[in-house]
Amino acid sequence: MIAAVAELARNDQLAEQFDLLADLMELEGSDGFRISAYRRAAARIRETPTSVAQLALDGKAVKLQDIGKTIEAKIVEIVEDGEIHALTKRKLVVPAEVATFMRLPGLGPKTARRIWQELGITTVAALQAAAEAEQLRGHAGIGAGTEAKILTALAQPKATAGPQRALLGTTLPKLRAVVEVLREHPASVEVSLAGSARRMRETVRDLDIIATATDPKALVDYFCALRWVVDVAARGSTKATVVSHDGLRFDLRVVPPESYGNLLQHFTGSKDHNVALREDAVRRGFSVSEYSVTIVETGEEHSFATEEEVYRFLGYRWIAPELRENGGELAAARLDAKKRGELPDLVELADLRGDLHTHTTWSDGKDSLEDMLAAAKARGYAYYAICDHSQRLRGDLLKQQSEQIDALQELVRPLQILKGIEVNVRPDGTLDVSDEDLASRDWVVASVHSRFDHDATERVLAAMESPYVDCVGHLTNRRIGKRPPAPVDVERVIAKAAETGTFLELNSQPDRLDLSDVNARAAREAGVKVVIDSDGHQIGALDYVELGVGQARRAWLTKDDVLNTRTWKQIQKLQKQRA
DNA sequence: GCCGTTTTCGGCCCGACTGTTTTCAGTCG
């Protein structure tokens, strides 16, 4: 049933080659601007929601920012020959493990290069042995301190894999709790999250808090003395880093109130957003630092108490943190008419009118139907779909559950209970529930739950052909940090969704967040409506939709792009005509 | 290698910290 489709390299695979090429060139000591051009191109390719390989084949990749003729040609090389020719050549010159040297903390390309070229060390094992034997010290720029650093880094498990990131969903509540206690302290004035957590990135590493205070030292002292702090890694009069019992690092910076806006903007990032902002500013005669904006010609310095003022002074509308990834938000936010784009009015948590994917003890949920409904009602939802797994609801059980829902409906008004189901997509693409049973449900989510690599795309396409399938659940089945996304051809799925009128779920489970931001943005651009739901298996999990909304905002989704911002009546009009 | 509200050539973000050094290159965010 499945035609062999020539597999184009995915965007992340293209990006990886450009990043590696940049690393190897850096180790060779090539021109820094060419290197950063490759890195920028890699970042741009990763952020692009459509197939950049296809764009390059069509000669349209050059329309993307940071991609010119040369890089487009290199993308075509990957498509045709599997690898950038220059990368193939450089791999013969630079030993494979040398590239991992520069990923050790404290080591950079320059030092890694010296270790390789001046000392002839080409493997991690040899590097460790040399450091232990104190043979590195004395060579250009390396002393006992650097040797010790190398040994410490290599002693950590997976030292070369880069630092671990924590899930936003598990971290955000803790971070907010810290912000709350700091706000309650008498010396604090403003306290805000910053960094990737404020941008609602799906995973986070450093937890940044920015504050102003009447007595900075008092606030820092209080922060360092919080009872869950197990280690104070750094401490000054306006700044401290502490480690919690679960290994999270919290950074507090107390800044002068007159430049709180500049500093909050700076520490919210992303790095790419800030670099692009500053480059754009330079072209227009400004110099932007974390403390102020300087008008280069006059030397006049401007500090601002709010982010809104910083952006306005530089000629932009205020940009929501979730958009600050250098994904076109700067052009869209420009205030001057000629360049003005469309900064979207992003969807908000309060826009959600209901949850369209939840579970109960009828399948693998932890809380009962009654309890889940009470929680949904307490949230103020207008409708709420019970979507227990089809495997557990065979035959009479489905009818029994239906009767219980009918019995409860009057009790929970005005909440409207929807009789949903999460139907399993089998390895051959068929559904494991009869059409007759599906036809009896108000809302049908179809999900793949096994053999993720087996015909990942074709199974989903087949499921969407069913007139009863309203929505595809957790499309790629990734588990962040545990399981990579299945090799789903997201573009084809989105095209089929548009053609069949199927909706795509943005599953809000902290380790799923599937659709990813890039995929959700692609859905939006194709006009496919996205459903933000919790997939909640217990009462507390209903809160996860906040993470889904964050992800949706990162994907530039507006209220209109999200299906369940509508009333149930409006949604019914958008559902497929059932046969 | 890319890019353009000074430009198709000549630029390319900014500041802090660290370790190895006597004034700074390399690294980091």
Side-chain angles (χ1 to χ4, degrees), chain A residues 5 9 19 63 98 105 125 130 191 216 222 225 240 308 318 330 356 408 434 452 481 496 513 527 533 556:
Chain A
V5 180
D19 273 332
K63 290 187 181 164
V98 172
V191 185
Y222 177 67
E308 285 81 354
W318 178 78
L330 288 167
L356 290 172
L408 288 165
S434 70
F452 307 113
K496 176 67 96 180
L513 289 171
D533 53 41
W556 293 52

Side-chain angles (χ1 to χ4, degrees), chain A residues 532-551:
Chain A
I532 300 175
D533 53 41
S534 69
D535 193 3
H537 286 62
Q538 56 212 19
I539 289 168
L542 298 185
D543 289 336
Y544 289 151
V545 289
E546 189 198 1
L547 305 172
V549 169
Q551 182 92 324

Side-chain angles (χ1 to χ4, degrees), chain A residues 32-42 66 71:
Chain A
F33 293 114
R34 274 177 72 200
I35 291 161
S36 49
Y38 288 135
R39 295 224 167 95
R40 278 161 193 258
D66 304 317
I71 285 180

Side-chain angles (χ1 to χ4, degrees), chain A residues 84-399:
Chain A
I84 302 170
H85 299 166
L87 179 58
T88 311
K89 271 198 331 214
R90 287 194 160 79
K91 277 180 170 176
L92 298 173
V93 178
V94 185
E97 286 188 30
V98 172
T100 66
F101 294 179
M102 61 189 254
R103 287 185 211 124
L104 298 172
L107 288 196
K110 301 282 167 56
T111 314
R113 180 169 183 229
R114 282 179 184 155
I115 291 171
W116 163 39
Q117 299 206 319
E118 293 176 22
L119 296 162
I121 293 171
T122 57
T123 65
V124 173
L127 177 66
Q128 184 160 13
E132 275 164 1
E134 303 183 350
Q135 288 165 350
L136 297 178
R137 61 186 63 179
H139 293 87
I142 300 171
T146 304
E147 261 176 4
K149 241 183 177 175
I150 290 170
L151 288 175
T152 312
L154 288 177
Q156 308 282 329
K158 289 189 188 166
T160 50
Q164 298 296 302
R165 298 181 69 94
L167 291 175
L168 177 68
T170 53
T171 311
L172 196 55
K174 298 172 191 172
L175 187 53
R176 286 204 177 125
V178 178
V179 168
E180 272 317 302
V181 300
L182 291 176
R183 279 193 182 138
E184 281 163 21
H185 190 270
S188 79
V189 181
E190 302 274 359
V191 185
S192 175
L193 299 186
S196 51
R198 185 169 179 235
R199 303 199 312 278
M200 297 292 280
R201 279 284 303 260
E202 57 200 34
T203 60
V204 294
R205 195 176 62 209
D206 304 310
L207 306 173
D208 296 311
I209 302 170
I210 302 292
T212 59
T214 51
D215 181 351
K217 187 170 182 305
L219 193 61
V220 170
D221 288 346
Y222 177 67
F223 176 65
C224 293
L226 290 170
R227 62 183 157 69
W228 47 265
V229 170
V230 294
D231 184 26
V232 178
R235 177 180 199 159
S237 56
T238 61
K239 177 183 156 172
T241 301
V242 303
V243 181
S244 68
H245 55 80
D246 41 8
L248 295 171
R249 293 170 71 89
F250 294 78
D251 232 348
L252 171 67
R253 289 162 215 268
V254 185
V255 306
E258 61 273 17
S259 50
Y260 177 66
N262 303 77
L263 281 148
L264 181 58
Q265 194 284 324
H266 173 76
F267 284 110
T268 296
S270 66
K271 185 175 186 292
D272 289 342
H273 172 85
N274 285 348
V275 168
L277 178 84
R278 288 169 178 204
E279 283 178 355
D280 197 32
V282 166
R283 278 180 225 121
R284 290 181 290 134
F286 300 111
S287 174
V288 179
S289 82
E290 51 257 66
Y291 306 105
S292 64
V293 179
T294 306
I295 300 175
V296 176
E297 202 174 276
T298 60
E300 212 177 312
E301 268 192 73
H302 297 265
S303 299
F304 301 101
T306 67
E307 277 190 332
E308 285 81 354
E309 292 170 280
V310 175
Y311 281 106
R312 196 182 318 130
F313 188 79
L314 291 169
Y316 304 102
R317 282 174 64 188
W318 178 78
I319 298 171
E322 293 93 332
L323 296 182
R324 300 183 196 171
E325 299 291 346
N326 194 25
E329 73 279 8
L330 288 167
R334 283 293 291 271
L335 289 168
D336 52 312
K338 203 162 119 194
K339 275 222 157 188
R340 186 168 50 91
E342 318 76 40
L343 201 61
D345 276 328
L346 299 176
V347 63
E348 291 174 24
L349 183 60
D351 293 331
L352 299 187
R353 291 175 188 256
D355 198 327
L356 290 172
H357 182 175
T358 69
H359 295 267
T360 71
T361 47
W362 278 95
S363 63
D364 59 348
K366 298 281 189 297
D367 285 314
S368 68
L369 179 58
E370 292 95 321
D371 291 346
M372 293 300 275
L373 289 173
K377 188 177 176 182
R379 294 181 68 93
Y381 281 150
Y383 49 88
Y384 185 80
I386 304 297
C387 298
D388 279 307
H389 292 284
S390 53
Q391 299 98 314
R392 310 276 190 99
L393 280 180
R394 302 218 182 270
D396 280 351
L397 281 176
L398 195 62
K399 288 198 182 68

